[in-house]
Amino acid sequence: MDIDGDGRPDLLSGSWPGELFLFRGTADRSFAAPEMLKDKNGEIINIGGGITEDPDGGILVRGTAKWETVDGRTFVSYRGQRIESTPEKPVATTSTASVVSAADWDGDGDLDLIVGNIDGNVHLIPNEGTAKSYSFGKEVPLEAHGRPVHVASRAGPCVADWDGDGDLDLLVGADDGSVSLFRNTGSRKSPKLASPVQLVGPGEASYGPQAPKEVRRGIRSKICVADWNGDGRLDLLVGDLAYQKADLPEPTPDEKAKQDQVRQELEPLQKHFRELIDKLGGPARVRTQEERDKVMEELNQTSRQMQTLRSQLPREYENHGWVWLFVRK
């Protein structure tokens, strides 16, 4: 992908906070340091990002933010704004988990951006500039058969001419591990997406004691389309997140009895930990700094107790990221 038309391949990536990052190709065939992509008005692109106030009075920041504590006061900095987190208005940070695909969606000779996020939505960010000087406009929700393109969560779009008719189709991975095809029934310059057809079904997300021992396809599908075997047909590569039972020896009866006892001790601590979390945010949160400090102290103490107990248990599962090949028939 050459987003700036200088003849050098560039690298484009989404991120967990949601901002989009461009790694420009260099003359020595490496990549420059990442830069956050901005729109034509100089604003950092993060679809769904920003600052919102919850109905219960809390403040939610979606995007790259920095926490700091000064003289016992806690602040969050986000795009030039510095917000104090207080018991009356606690600040929480989260993400939009962007995934980006670059393609000439409207057939005008430059690269546009197709972006999915954690909400399951997919947007088009049109390039209103040229192939050599991009200028990204306002995002527009993509539609399929008159309805917004949407998957359950964590939309991971990929653009390709899947059916070989000369225009671009849309494939979207989802949090459940599935992959859906939104076929372009319009034209190269005027795309029109049909209702989705599921190409790959959901994966598996069992973890903890239920995690499988054998390798299985997981969740959070991320897609690449390529003619993998050189037969002239596009194939599908799907990356995932999978959980698998740790390859450990079976415990002896004495070890199992001890582990069961530790798990029994953990259960009330975990319940109490969740109750304390509820006291820091949401409608039932404490309202004074003194109460908040007491809750935080108790929360930290409970967390240390839980860590001590967990250190006595074998790990129940491992995280893996596999890539699965689906060969086109």
Side-chain angles (χ1 to χ4, degrees):
M1 177 202 68
D2 182 9
I3 197 169
D4 51 11
D6 62 358
R8 301 168 183 162
D10 306 305
L11 181 63
L12 193 62
S13 176
S15 69
W16 169 246
E19 291 82 10
L20 308 181
F21 289 86
L22 171 63
F23 299 76
R24 295 184 187 273
T26 61
D28 61 358
R29 301 186 67 81
S30 62
F31 295 98
E35 56 187 274
M36 287 186 184
L37 275 182
K38 298 180 179 180
D39 63 20
K40 63 181 182 182
N41 298 317
E43 296 293 328
I44 294 172
I45 298 173
N46 185 349
I47 297 174
I51 301 173
T52 57
E53 188 164 334
D54 296 333
D56 62 13
I59 297 173
L60 183 64
V61 178
R62 300 182 84 187
T64 297
K66 179 182 178 182
W67 288 84
E68 60 179 334
T69 301
V70 180
D71 297 329
R73 299 165 65 190
T74 302
F75 298 88
V76 174
S77 296
Y78 175 76
R79 298 192 187 182
Q81 298 186 58
R82 192 164 181 259
I83 310 165
E84 183 176 3
S85 181
T86 66
E88 295 77 19
K89 280 199 171 185
V91 178
T93 56
T94 186
S95 65
T96 62
S98 60
V99 178
V100 59
S101 181
D104 184 7
W105 184 251
D106 51 11
D108 64 355
D110 56 37
L111 291 176
D112 308 295
L113 305 179
I114 309 295
V115 182
N117 65 13
I118 199 169
D119 299 325
N121 302 318
V122 180
H123 287 75
L124 165 68
I125 303 179
N127 187 349
E128 299 175 1
T130 66
K132 292 184 176 293
S133 180
Y134 61 78
S135 179
F136 296 114
K138 179 67 175 174
E139 71 269 13
V140 179
L142 283 180
E143 291 190 351
H145 201 63
R147 302 179 64 179
V149 171
H150 180 79
V151 295
S153 179
R154 299 178 188 270
C158 179
V159 177
D161 183 7
W162 182 255
D163 54 10
D165 63 355
D167 56 37
L168 294 178
D169 307 300
L170 176 68
L171 296 92
V172 184
D175 186 62
D176 64 0
S178 64
V179 177
S180 297
L181 167 67
F182 296 81
R183 186 171 172 269
N184 184 358
T185 58
S187 65
R188 184 70 184 85
K189 291 182 177 291
S190 183
K192 184 178 180 181
L193 299 177
S195 298
V197 175
Q198 192 173 85
L199 299 181
V200 177
E204 184 174 316
S206 299
Y207 58 95
Q210 289 75 40
K213 286 187 176 181
E214 66 275 12
V215 175
R216 296 185 187 178
R217 192 168 59 82
I219 58 175
R220 301 186 189 178
S221 298
K222 301 297 182 288
I223 311 167
C224 179
V225 173
D227 181 4
W228 182 258
N229 55 3
D231 66 354
R233 294 188 292 268
L234 292 178
D235 306 302
L236 190 61
L237 292 103
V238 181
D240 72 1
L241 166 67
Y243 304 106
Q244 189 173 338
K245 192 178 293 295
D247 187 14
L248 299 173
E250 287 294 322
T252 65
D254 286 345
E255 289 172 336
K256 186 178 184 304
K258 182 179 179 180
Q259 292 168 13
D260 289 343
Q261 178 62 36
V262 170
R263 292 187 179 98
Q264 288 179 14
E265 295 176 23
L266 258 175
E267 189 173 340
L269 286 172
Q270 292 170 332
K271 179 181 178 182
H272 185 52
F273 186 85
R274 292 190 293 268
E275 292 170 349
L276 292 171
I277 291 293
D278 289 340
K279 290 183 178 182
L280 294 176
R285 68 180 181 274
V286 296
R287 300 289 174 170
T288 69
Q289 189 62 49
E290 182 180 1
E291 290 175 309
R292 186 178 179 84
D293 290 343
K294 288 181 179 179
V295 172
M296 283 299 301
E297 182 178 353
E298 191 173 356
L299 186 71
N300 291 333
Q301 181 181 357
T302 304
S303 178
R304 289 191 293 269
Q305 292 175 311
M306 291 166 57
Q307 289 173 5
T308 299
L309 289 172
R310 284 171 177 161
S311 68
Q312 302 174 43
L313 295 172
R315 63 185 187 278
E316 292 183 325
Y317 63 92
E318 300 171 333
N319 296 349
H320 292 277
W322 310 109
V323 178
W324 300 83
L325 171 63
F326 295 84
V327 177
R328 192 78 165 271
K329 299 296 184 181

